Amino acid sequence: MISKQFISFHRPDITNEELETVAETIKSGWISKGPKVIEFEKKLGEYLGAEHVISCNSGTAALHMALLALGVGEGDEVIVPSFTFCSSVNVILHVGATPVFADICEDDLCIDPEDVRQKLSPRTKAVIAVHFAGYPANLAELSSICKENGLYLIEDAAHALGTRYKGKMIGTHGDAVCFSFYATKNITTGEGGALILKDEEAAERARLYGWHGITKNAWNRYGEKGSWRYDVLLPGFKYNMTDIQAALGLVQLKRAAEIQEKRTRIANYYASELTNQSERAELPLTDIPSHITHSWHLFILRVKKRGEMERDQFIENMKAKHIGLSVHFIPVHMHPYYKEHFPAKLPVTERIFPEIVSLPLYSQLSKEDCQYIVQSIKEVLSLSQEVGQ
Ligand SMILES: Cc1ncc(COP(=O)(O)O)c(C=O)c1O
């Protein structure tokens, strides 16, 4: 089987409806924050079953606003996994707090509640749980730890739109939940994000922080009912979503279930074809208990080292077959800045990182693409009948 063209790691799923809605929005004259943003927040709240939704221009902004709104700052410690994108940790430093790295569990690749307990100190103010790949962290344990110790539970749900835990959507559990709508995410606004807060006052503070610290509704000052007058109540940031992004997001949100179903079908196909193929390829996060719905943001393959066939070589060999793979994540504590300033020893994270790859997983992959990817993996790992015998 020969692939005609490169199968990229990701392509967004944008239909004519998105294109038309965005074009209409641009023609309407409201191209920055306006009625579409308000509508997007309302629809996202309905989708999640959440009350306080603050849209913004990235998942990173959502994380930063979460810490600001909950009053995390100087002198506080925040326990966070290193097995995440760097922005989950960078924002802790942006508010003047100290990141404390916790290890992950080998089975769910999410923050290990036992290690969180080990890392607690009198200065701990919050725990950030990352729902890695769209598989939820152990929220039952993490919630009890936070409750027992008076800590905030912040969820980095950049991968987890559509994930459910014990029957409820991610977005309805922790004190603050942060979504990303970056180009590769399950639904996209190009760049974008949303912060969900349990507490109404915290939500008001987040809105202020996300828009220069300017009083509510001042975004509408050029509208018929608006006024030129506004007050600055604190030194905020410019983190707002635009109507162009929200227009794209509204159509994507309407299609979220359809997109997730397609991703799930592809993930199930990968799992059925690749499970038990060899001791050299493990599939974490595919054995899903009944209280969990996986959003399938990423499909992770764990390539066990043997001889020359290491993960990096596996990626190169797949590239030679015109297939783009990625790695999620280079652990944050292994990056130069964090190595120097926040050295940590995280045995599970460090053992897993050299072995993981993320396979292409998006709704536009055709059946032939998926078959070709599976066949290529088997060949590269010398698993198939024809190769390596
Ligand atoms: C786990 C995680 N957290 C946070 C982010 C940041 O989201 P954004 O790129 O929208 O700022 C990402 C983005 O890739 C992510 O994967």
Side-chain angles (χ1 to χ4, degrees):
M1 225 187 301
I2 297 209
S3 170
K4 288 175 223 73
Q5 54 184 188
F6 187 70
I7 301 175
S8 62
F9 174 70
H10 178 73
R11 264 175 60 207
D13 181 345
I14 310 279
T15 66
N16 278 338
E17 192 179 349
E18 279 91 335
L19 298 178
E20 282 159 17
T21 311
V22 167
E24 275 164 30
T25 300
I26 293 171
K27 283 187 214 151
S28 78
W30 273 114
I31 55 172
S32 184
K33 182 174 174 173
K36 289 282 180 199
V37 168
I38 307 292
E39 192 185 339
F40 180 71
E41 291 182 352
K42 184 169 172 287
K43 289 275 158 59
L44 183 59
E46 286 166 10
Y47 174 79
L48 298 172
E51 203 176 337
H52 306 297
V53 179
I54 299 112
S55 61
C56 53
N57 57 14
S58 70
T60 305
L63 285 159
H64 190 193
M65 285 194 298
L67 294 171
L68 291 166
L70 296 174
V72 178
E74 289 290 337
D76 296 328
E77 289 177 357
V78 178
I79 302 178
V80 63
S82 167
F83 196 60
T84 183
F85 185 59
C86 58
S87 70
S88 324
V89 189
N90 289 345
V91 291
I92 299 170
L93 293 166
H94 293 331
V95 298
T98 304
V100 175
F101 289 116
D103 212 344
I104 51 172
C105 300
E106 192 128 9
D107 56 349
D108 66 10
L109 306 184
C110 293
I111 194 164
D112 178 356
E114 266 321 298
D115 203 36
V116 171
R117 283 189 196 280
Q118 298 298 318
K119 303 284 163 70
L120 290 170
S121 89
R123 292 171 61 197
T124 311
K125 179 99 175 221
V127 175
I128 297 182
V130 179
H131 302 304
F132 178 76
Y135 192 98
N138 185 345
L139 287 176
E141 274 296 305
L142 294 167
S143 302
S144 334
I145 295 170
C146 288
K147 237 185 214 142
E148 282 160 27
N149 295 280
L151 312 175
Y152 291 119
L153 177 57
I154 300 172
E155 296 169 55
D156 180 337
H159 299 180
L161 189 87
T163 298
R164 283 175 182 271
Y165 183 82
K166 298 201 170 170
K168 282 169 64 194
M169 282 277 194
I170 292 301
T172 58
H173 297 270
D175 298 295
V177 186
C178 306
F179 291 101
S180 164
F181 307 121
Y182 175 62
T184 58
K185 298 300 187 282
N186 286 25
I187 73 161
T188 184
T189 57
E191 296 279 1
L195 166 62
I196 317 297
L197 283 160
K198 271 253 158 66
D199 180 67
E200 189 170 348
E201 282 177 24
E204 279 312 310
R205 273 195 302 279
R207 286 189 193 283
L208 279 175
Y209 275 116
W211 212 60
H212 307 288
I214 288 179
T215 40
K216 204 173 160 184
N217 291 336
W219 60 268
N220 198 17
R221 64 194 185 281
Y222 301 125
E224 201 181 329
K225 292 185 184 141
S227 160
W228 57 268
R229 191 177 282 284
Y230 59 84
D231 294 312
V232 175
L233 303 184
L234 49 82
F237 298 85
K238 190 160 198 231
Y239 279 166
N240 63 284
M241 183 177 269
T242 69
D243 263 29
I244 299 173
Q245 292 167 318
L248 177 52
L250 277 163
V251 183
Q252 288 269 292
L253 191 56
K254 199 171 75 181
R255 299 183 51 231
E258 167 213 326
I259 292 171
Q260 186 164 334
E261 196 189 310
K262 288 181 183 160
R263 299 177 83 97
T264 304
R265 216 178 304 144
I266 294 167
N268 287 342
Y269 172 72
Y270 285 154
S272 68
E273 287 291 321
L274 298 170
T275 301
N276 298 330
Q277 282 292 327
S278 154
E279 67 223 19
R280 288 165 66 187
E282 278 181 12
L283 303 174
L285 314 182
T286 52
D287 193 6
I288 303 161
S290 60
H291 69 281
I292 282 171
T293 305
H294 191 333
S295 71
W296 288 114
H297 176 56
L298 299 173
F299 191 97
I300 306 293
L301 187 71
R302 200 169 156 188
V303 182
K304 296 286 196 169
K305 188 176 170 188
R306 198 171 84 185
E308 291 301 299
M309 178 53 73
E310 292 179 44
R311 185 268 315 272
D312 294 6
Q313 188 58 49
F314 175 79
I315 292 173
E316 285 311 305
N317 291 359
M318 289 291 282
K319 203 188 249 175
K321 289 179 175 289
H322 310 290
I323 298 168
L325 304 181
S326 191
V327 172
H328 299 85
F329 288 100
I330 302 167
V332 180
H333 78 289
M334 294 168 86
H335 286 294
Y337 174 83
Y338 285 98
K339 229 193 236 172
E340 184 182 341
H341 296 281
F342 299 95
K345 277 212 161 49
L346 304 166
V348 181
T349 302
E350 286 159 27
R351 187 162 66 242
I352 279 174
F353 164 60
E355 298 183 344
I356 42 156
V357 290
S358 308
L359 304 188
L361 177 59
Y362 46 97
S363 39
Q364 286 155 310
L365 283 172
S366 67
K367 195 171 166 199
E368 290 70 34
D369 289 335
C370 296
Q371 286 170 340
Y372 177 71
I373 291 166
V374 162
Q375 181 67 20
S376 301
I377 291 170
K378 289 177 179 176
E379 285 177 11
V380 169
L381 289 173
S382 304
L383 296 175
S384 71
Q385 296 295 335
E386 313 97 66
V387 178
Q389 290 184 6

PDB file of all heavy atoms in Angstrom, residues 63 129-131 154-161 163 170-171 176-180 185:
ATOM      1  N   LEU A  63      -6.015  29.827  31.679  1.00  0.00           N
ATOM      2  CA  LEU A  63      -5.259  29.362  32.864  1.00  0.00           C
ATOM      3  C   LEU A  63      -4.769  30.546  33.698  1.00  0.00           C
ATOM      4  O   LEU A  63      -4.844  30.533  34.927  1.00  0.00           O
ATOM      5  CB  LEU A  63      -4.066  28.513  32.411  1.00  0.00           C
ATOM      6  CG  LEU A  63      -4.388  27.100  31.915  1.00  0.00           C
ATOM      7  CD1 LEU A  63      -3.256  26.555  31.043  1.00  0.00           C
ATOM      8  CD2 LEU A  63      -4.630  26.158  33.100  1.00  0.00           C
ATOM      9  N   ALA A 129      -4.861  20.005  37.520  1.00  0.00           N
ATOM     10  CA  ALA A 129      -4.939  18.659  36.933  1.00  0.00           C
ATOM     11  C   ALA A 129      -5.096  18.817  35.428  1.00  0.00           C
ATOM     12  O   ALA A 129      -5.935  19.593  34.973  1.00  0.00           O
ATOM     13  CB  ALA A 129      -6.146  17.922  37.504  1.00  0.00           C
ATOM     14  N   VAL A 130      -4.266  18.104  34.676  1.00  0.00           N
ATOM     15  CA  VAL A 130      -4.364  18.147  33.211  1.00  0.00           C
ATOM     16  C   VAL A 130      -5.048  16.864  32.746  1.00  0.00           C
ATOM     17  O   VAL A 130      -4.602  15.767  33.093  1.00  0.00           O
ATOM     18  CB  VAL A 130      -2.956  18.263  32.572  1.00  0.00           C
ATOM     19  CG1 VAL A 130      -3.048  18.285  31.047  1.00  0.00           C
ATOM     20  CG2 VAL A 130      -2.221  19.494  33.084  1.00  0.00           C
ATOM     21  N   HIS A 131      -6.117  16.995  32.001  1.00  0.00           N
ATOM     22  CA  HIS A 131      -6.801  15.808  31.474  1.00  0.00           C
ATOM     23  C   HIS A 131      -6.076  15.410  30.181  1.00  0.00           C
ATOM     24  O   HIS A 131      -6.478  15.796  29.077  1.00  0.00           O
ATOM     25  CB  HIS A 131      -8.272  16.118  31.217  1.00  0.00           C
ATOM     26  CG  HIS A 131      -8.986  16.578  32.444  1.00  0.00           C
ATOM     27  ND1 HIS A 131      -9.018  15.835  33.606  1.00  0.00           N
ATOM     28  CD2 HIS A 131      -9.695  17.705  32.710  1.00  0.00           C
ATOM     29  CE1 HIS A 131      -9.717  16.488  34.526  1.00  0.00           C
ATOM     30  NE2 HIS A 131     -10.129  17.617  34.007  1.00  0.00           N
ATOM     31  N   ILE A 154      -7.941  23.313  39.941  1.00  0.00           N
ATOM     32  CA  ILE A 154      -8.011  23.938  38.614  1.00  0.00           C
ATOM     33  C   ILE A 154      -7.781  22.835  37.589  1.00  0.00           C
ATOM     34  O   ILE A 154      -6.829  22.061  37.712  1.00  0.00           O
ATOM     35  CB  ILE A 154      -6.928  25.038  38.469  1.00  0.00           C
ATOM     36  CG1 ILE A 154      -7.152  26.126  39.535  1.00  0.00           C
ATOM     37  CG2 ILE A 154      -6.941  25.635  37.055  1.00  0.00           C
ATOM     38  CD1 ILE A 154      -6.044  27.157  39.617  1.00  0.00           C
ATOM     39  N   GLU A 155      -8.658  22.744  36.601  1.00  0.00           N
ATOM     40  CA  GLU A 155      -8.503  21.702  35.583  1.00  0.00           C
ATOM     41  C   GLU A 155      -8.021  22.329  34.280  1.00  0.00           C
ATOM     42  O   GLU A 155      -8.652  23.256  33.766  1.00  0.00           O
ATOM     43  CB  GLU A 155      -9.830  20.980  35.355  1.00  0.00           C
ATOM     44  CG  GLU A 155     -10.311  20.223  36.574  1.00  0.00           C
ATOM     45  CD  GLU A 155     -11.744  19.761  36.392  1.00  0.00           C
ATOM     46  OE1 GLU A 155     -12.038  19.081  35.400  1.00  0.00           O
ATOM     47  OE2 GLU A 155     -12.583  20.118  37.238  1.00  0.00           O
ATOM     48  N   ASP A 156      -6.899  21.819  33.772  1.00  0.00           N
ATOM     49  CA  ASP A 156      -6.463  22.178  32.429  1.00  0.00           C
ATOM     50  C   ASP A 156      -7.147  21.191  31.492  1.00  0.00           C
ATOM     51  O   ASP A 156      -6.730  20.042  31.357  1.00  0.00           O
ATOM     52  CB  ASP A 156      -4.932  22.086  32.332  1.00  0.00           C
ATOM     53  CG  ASP A 156      -4.418  22.462  30.946  1.00  0.00           C
ATOM     54  OD1 ASP A 156      -5.203  22.363  29.976  1.00  0.00           O
ATOM     55  OD2 ASP A 156      -3.231  22.829  30.832  1.00  0.00           O
ATOM     56  N   ALA A 157      -8.225  21.690  30.882  1.00  0.00           N
ATOM     57  CA  ALA A 157      -9.055  20.829  30.034  1.00  0.00           C
ATOM     58  C   ALA A 157      -8.833  21.166  28.553  1.00  0.00           C
ATOM     59  O   ALA A 157      -9.747  21.016  27.744  1.00  0.00           O
ATOM     60  CB  ALA A 157     -10.519  20.993  30.420  1.00  0.00           C
ATOM     61  N   ALA A 158      -7.612  21.601  28.236  1.00  0.00           N
ATOM     62  CA  ALA A 158      -7.296  21.960  26.846  1.00  0.00           C
ATOM     63  C   ALA A 158      -7.627  20.805  25.898  1.00  0.00           C
ATOM     64  O   ALA A 158      -8.001  21.021  24.744  1.00  0.00           O
ATOM     65  CB  ALA A 158      -5.824  22.339  26.724  1.00  0.00           C
ATOM     66  N   HIS A 159      -7.497  19.556  26.400  1.00  0.00           N
ATOM     67  CA  HIS A 159      -7.733  18.377  25.550  1.00  0.00           C
ATOM     68  C   HIS A 159      -9.128  17.783  25.768  1.00  0.00           C
ATOM     69  O   HIS A 159      -9.442  16.764  25.160  1.00  0.00           O
ATOM     70  CB  HIS A 159      -6.727  17.262  25.902  1.00  0.00           C
ATOM     71  CG  HIS A 159      -5.297  17.647  25.690  1.00  0.00           C
ATOM     72  ND1 HIS A 159      -4.253  16.786  25.945  1.00  0.00           N
ATOM     73  CD2 HIS A 159      -4.732  18.777  25.232  1.00  0.00           C
ATOM     74  CE1 HIS A 159      -3.109  17.390  25.676  1.00  0.00           C
ATOM     75  NE2 HIS A 159      -3.370  18.604  25.249  1.00  0.00           N
ATOM     76  N   ALA A 160      -9.895  18.368  26.667  1.00  0.00           N
ATOM     77  CA  ALA A 160     -11.004  17.578  27.232  1.00  0.00           C
ATOM     78  C   ALA A 160     -12.402  18.130  26.970  1.00  0.00           C
ATOM     79  O   ALA A 160     -13.318  17.840  27.727  1.00  0.00           O
ATOM     80  CB  ALA A 160     -10.764  17.402  28.734  1.00  0.00           C
ATOM     81  N   LEU A 161     -12.574  18.889  25.889  1.00  0.00           N
ATOM     82  CA  LEU A 161     -13.952  19.275  25.569  1.00  0.00           C
ATOM     83  C   LEU A 161     -14.691  18.014  25.117  1.00  0.00           C
ATOM     84  O   LEU A 161     -14.261  17.340  24.180  1.00  0.00           O
ATOM     85  CB  LEU A 161     -14.000  20.329  24.458  1.00  0.00           C
ATOM     86  CG  LEU A 161     -15.402  20.885  24.281  1.00  0.00           C
ATOM     87  CD1 LEU A 161     -15.648  22.054  25.237  1.00  0.00           C
ATOM     88  CD2 LEU A 161     -15.680  21.311  22.857  1.00  0.00           C
ATOM     89  N   THR A 163     -15.143  15.408  27.160  1.00  0.00           N
ATOM     90  CA  THR A 163     -14.815  14.343  28.124  1.00  0.00           C
ATOM     91  C   THR A 163     -15.845  14.360  29.252  1.00  0.00           C
ATOM     92  O   THR A 163     -16.264  15.432  29.694  1.00  0.00           O
ATOM     93  CB  THR A 163     -13.411  14.585  28.721  1.00  0.00           C
ATOM     94  OG1 THR A 163     -12.453  14.540  27.664  1.00  0.00           O
ATOM     95  CG2 THR A 163     -13.053  13.547  29.779  1.00  0.00           C
ATOM     96  N   ILE A 170     -16.634  17.378  31.743  1.00  0.00           N
ATOM     97  CA  ILE A 170     -15.517  18.174  32.256  1.00  0.00           C
ATOM     98  C   ILE A 170     -15.891  19.633  31.985  1.00  0.00           C
ATOM     99  O   ILE A 170     -16.279  19.989  30.865  1.00  0.00           O
ATOM    100  CB  ILE A 170     -14.206  17.783  31.528  1.00  0.00           C
ATOM    101  CG1 ILE A 170     -13.780  16.369  31.910  1.00  0.00           C
ATOM    102  CG2 ILE A 170     -13.095  18.796  31.822  1.00  0.00           C
ATOM    103  CD1 ILE A 170     -13.526  16.126  33.394  1.00  0.00           C
ATOM    104  N   GLY A 171     -15.796  20.435  33.024  1.00  0.00           N
ATOM    105  CA  GLY A 171     -16.286  21.817  32.957  1.00  0.00           C
ATOM    106  C   GLY A 171     -17.234  22.052  34.124  1.00  0.00           C
ATOM    107  O   GLY A 171     -17.568  23.195  34.432  1.00  0.00           O
ATOM    108  N   ALA A 176     -12.136  25.801  38.798  1.00  0.00           N
ATOM    109  CA  ALA A 176     -11.876  26.510  37.542  1.00  0.00           C
ATOM    110  C   ALA A 176     -11.498  25.478  36.490  1.00  0.00           C
ATOM    111  O   ALA A 176     -10.718  24.558  36.777  1.00  0.00           O
ATOM    112  CB  ALA A 176     -10.734  27.502  37.729  1.00  0.00           C
ATOM    113  N   VAL A 177     -12.057  25.613  35.307  1.00  0.00           N
ATOM    114  CA  VAL A 177     -11.749  24.660  34.226  1.00  0.00           C
ATOM    115  C   VAL A 177     -11.389  25.469  32.978  1.00  0.00           C
ATOM    116  O   VAL A 177     -12.107  26.401  32.610  1.00  0.00           O
ATOM    117  CB  VAL A 177     -12.942  23.728  33.931  1.00  0.00           C
ATOM    118  CG1 VAL A 177     -12.539  22.654  32.925  1.00  0.00           C
ATOM    119  CG2 VAL A 177     -13.468  23.086  35.214  1.00  0.00           C
ATOM    120  N   CYS A 178     -10.261  25.098  32.348  1.00  0.00           N
ATOM    121  CA  CYS A 178      -9.724  25.912  31.256  1.00  0.00           C
ATOM    122  C   CYS A 178      -9.693  25.110  29.965  1.00  0.00           C
ATOM    123  O   CYS A 178      -9.039  24.059  29.893  1.00  0.00           O
ATOM    124  CB  CYS A 178      -8.303  26.345  31.602  1.00  0.00           C
ATOM    125  SG  CYS A 178      -8.223  27.173  33.201  1.00  0.00           S
ATOM    126  N   PHE A 179     -10.386  25.603  28.951  1.00  0.00           N
ATOM    127  CA  PHE A 179     -10.407  24.943  27.646  1.00  0.00           C
ATOM    128  C   PHE A 179      -9.557  25.727  26.648  1.00  0.00           C
ATOM    129  O   PHE A 179      -9.385  26.943  26.787  1.00  0.00           O
ATOM    130  CB  PHE A 179     -11.846  24.869  27.106  1.00  0.00           C
ATOM    131  CG  PHE A 179     -12.725  23.921  27.875  1.00  0.00           C
ATOM    132  CD1 PHE A 179     -13.628  24.395  28.821  1.00  0.00           C
ATOM    133  CD2 PHE A 179     -12.655  22.550  27.658  1.00  0.00           C
ATOM    134  CE1 PHE A 179     -14.438  23.532  29.549  1.00  0.00           C
ATOM    135  CE2 PHE A 179     -13.459  21.673  28.379  1.00  0.00           C
ATOM    136  CZ  PHE A 179     -14.350  22.163  29.322  1.00  0.00           C
ATOM    137  N   SER A 180      -9.065  25.010  25.646  1.00  0.00           N
ATOM    138  CA  SER A 180      -8.350  25.650  24.528  1.00  0.00           C
ATOM    139  C   SER A 180      -9.088  25.335  23.230  1.00  0.00           C
ATOM    140  O   SER A 180      -9.564  24.206  23.052  1.00  0.00           O
ATOM    141  CB  SER A 180      -6.922  25.101  24.445  1.00  0.00           C
ATOM    142  OG  SER A 180      -6.347  25.422  23.183  1.00  0.00           O
ATOM    143  N   LYS A 185      -7.143  21.516  18.397  1.00  0.00           N
ATOM    144  CA  LYS A 185      -8.040  20.967  19.425  1.00  0.00           C
ATOM    145  C   LYS A 185      -9.325  20.403  18.806  1.00  0.00           C
ATOM    146  O   LYS A 185      -9.606  20.628  17.640  1.00  0.00           O
ATOM    147  CB  LYS A 185      -8.365  22.057  20.465  1.00  0.00           C
ATOM    148  CG  LYS A 185      -7.119  22.556  21.202  1.00  0.00           C
ATOM    149  CD  LYS A 185      -6.413  21.443  21.944  1.00  0.00           C
ATOM    150  CE  LYS A 185      -5.282  21.898  22.829  1.00  0.00           C
ATOM    151  NZ  LYS A 185      -4.027  22.225  22.144  1.00  0.00           N
TER     152      LYS A 185
END
